[in-house]
Amino acid sequence: MTSNERRVLVHPNKQALAASVAARFITKVIDVIADFGDAHVVLTGGSIGIGTLAAVNDSPTRDTVDWSKVHFWWGDERFVPKADGERNELQAREALLDHLDVPAGNIHAFAASDEVGSLEEGVAAYTAELARFSPDGGQWPRFDITFLGVGPDGHIASLFPEREGIRVTDVPVISVRNSPKPPPERLSLTRPVINSSERVWLVLAGADKASALGLALAGAQYTDVPAAGAKGRRRTVFFIDQDAAAEVPEELIAETY
C-alpha cells in the first residue's frame, strides 16, 4: 500500500471490526509515541466508533501504551449539556478514557451547551485549544490518527452533504445549526483539519452504509458525499464490516495493511 492510497479492510461482523481496529490502534499509538514522544488522536462517536473504544479498553494489550503521552480530541460534538448521554465525549469517557491513566489536560473536549453561552463561543474555545497545541505558526496540532464514522448519507464529523460546512476551508472549527441529523446544534472540525491528519481511519458498519461507501470510493464529489473528501496525508483506510461492503469495488479491498 503506497502513500495516500485508499484501501478497504473488510471484517466479518461488527465485533471483529472493532477488535481489529482496536488492535491496530494500540500498535500504531505505540509507534507514534516512539517516533514523536507523544500522540494526538481525533475520536468519533457513533455505535461503531464507541464500540472500537470499548474494544481498546477490553484489549489485553491496552496497558502497553503510555496513555499519559496521548492527547485525545474530537472531530465533532453535539451542542448539548455536559452530562447529556448524546455527547461523544461522555460516551468516549465511559467506553475508554475513564479507564485509562490519562492526564485531564490531555483530553480536549468541545465545550458543552451549559459551559458556554453560544455556539460561537464554543467555536472560539476549540479554535483556541487547537492553536495552543499547534506547532509554531500553526492552527492545530500534528494529528496522527483521525477516526471518522460515516453516516448513511455519507456525512463525516458534522459535515453534511450539500451544506455549507463541508465547503469551509478558512477556519478550523465551525458551528452547525439545523443539522439534518438530531440534535440540531453541533460543533465540528472542518475538512482541512481532518485531512491534515497523517492517518484517516474511517470505521463503519451496516448495510445502510453500503451505498454511501460505494459512492465515496467511486469518486463522488465530496460536497455530495463528504466521506469522498476524507484523505489522510499518509494513509486513508476504510475499516468496514461485511454488511457495508456490498458496493465496494473488488480491487480496493485489501487483505493486509
Side-chain angles (χ1 to χ4, degrees), residues 19-69:
S20 176
V21 177
R24 292 174 184 276
F25 174 66
I26 289 169
T27 299
K28 183 53 65 178
V29 167
I30 291 171
D31 290 344
V32 170
I33 291 171
D35 289 343
F36 296 102
D38 63 4
H40 288 262
V41 177
V42 179
L43 301 180
T44 187
S47 60
I48 193 62
I50 299 303
T52 298
L53 298 184
V56 172
N57 188 51
D58 291 341
S59 172
T61 62
R62 183 195 76 177
D63 293 334
T64 60
V65 177
D66 183 351
W67 295 107
S68 70
K69 295 182 178 178

Side-chain angles (χ1 to χ4, degrees), residues 42-43 72-76 88-89 92 97 107-110 126 189:
V42 179
L43 301 180
F72 293 97
W73 303 80
W74 275 266
D76 72 325
N88 292 333
E89 177 204 357
L97 302 184
I107 298 176
H108 310 278
F110 281 98
Y126 215 61
L189 299 183

Side-chain angles (χ1 to χ4, degrees), residues 132-152:
R132 194 161 72 90
F133 287 85
S134 70
D136 289 346
Q139 292 181 276
W140 53 80
R142 177 205 77 243
F143 289 125
D144 302 295
I145 300 171
T146 292
F147 284 103
L148 293 173
V150 178

Side-chain angles (χ1 to χ4, degrees), residues 4 10 85 109 130 132 161 195:
N4 280 329
V10 182
L130 290 167
R132 194 161 72 90
N195 288 354

Side-chain angles (χ1 to χ4, degrees), residues 7-11 17 24 237-240 254-257:
R7 279 294 179 262
V8 181
L9 294 176
V10 182
H11 303 77
L17 169 61
R24 292 174 184 276
V237 184
F238 291 80
F239 297 92
I240 69 175
E255 294 186 3
T256 60
Y257 168 58

Side-chain angles (χ1 to χ4, degrees), residues 84-174:
D84 193 307
E86 290 200 324
R87 271 184 68 84
N88 292 333
E89 177 204 357
L90 181 61
Q91 294 176 25
R93 286 183 179 276
E94 291 175 346
L96 177 63
L97 302 184
D98 287 348
H99 306 277
L100 303 177
D101 187 17
V102 179
N106 286 20
I107 298 176
H108 310 278
F110 281 98
S113 63
D114 54 355
E115 292 178 318
V116 294
S118 67
L119 278 165
E120 288 71 23
E121 288 182 34
V123 168
Y126 215 61
T127 300
E129 185 73 355
L130 290 167
R132 194 161 72 90
F133 287 85
S134 70
D136 289 346
Q139 292 181 276
W140 53 80
R142 177 205 77 243
F143 289 125
D144 302 295
I145 300 171
T146 292
F147 284 103
L148 293 173
V150 178
D153 62 353
H155 82 265
I156 52 173
S158 282
L159 306 177
F160 294 96
E162 301 174 356
R163 298 290 183 107
E164 181 59 29
I166 188 61
R167 298 179 172 87
V168 174
T169 59
D170 58 342
V171 294
V173 184
I174 58 167

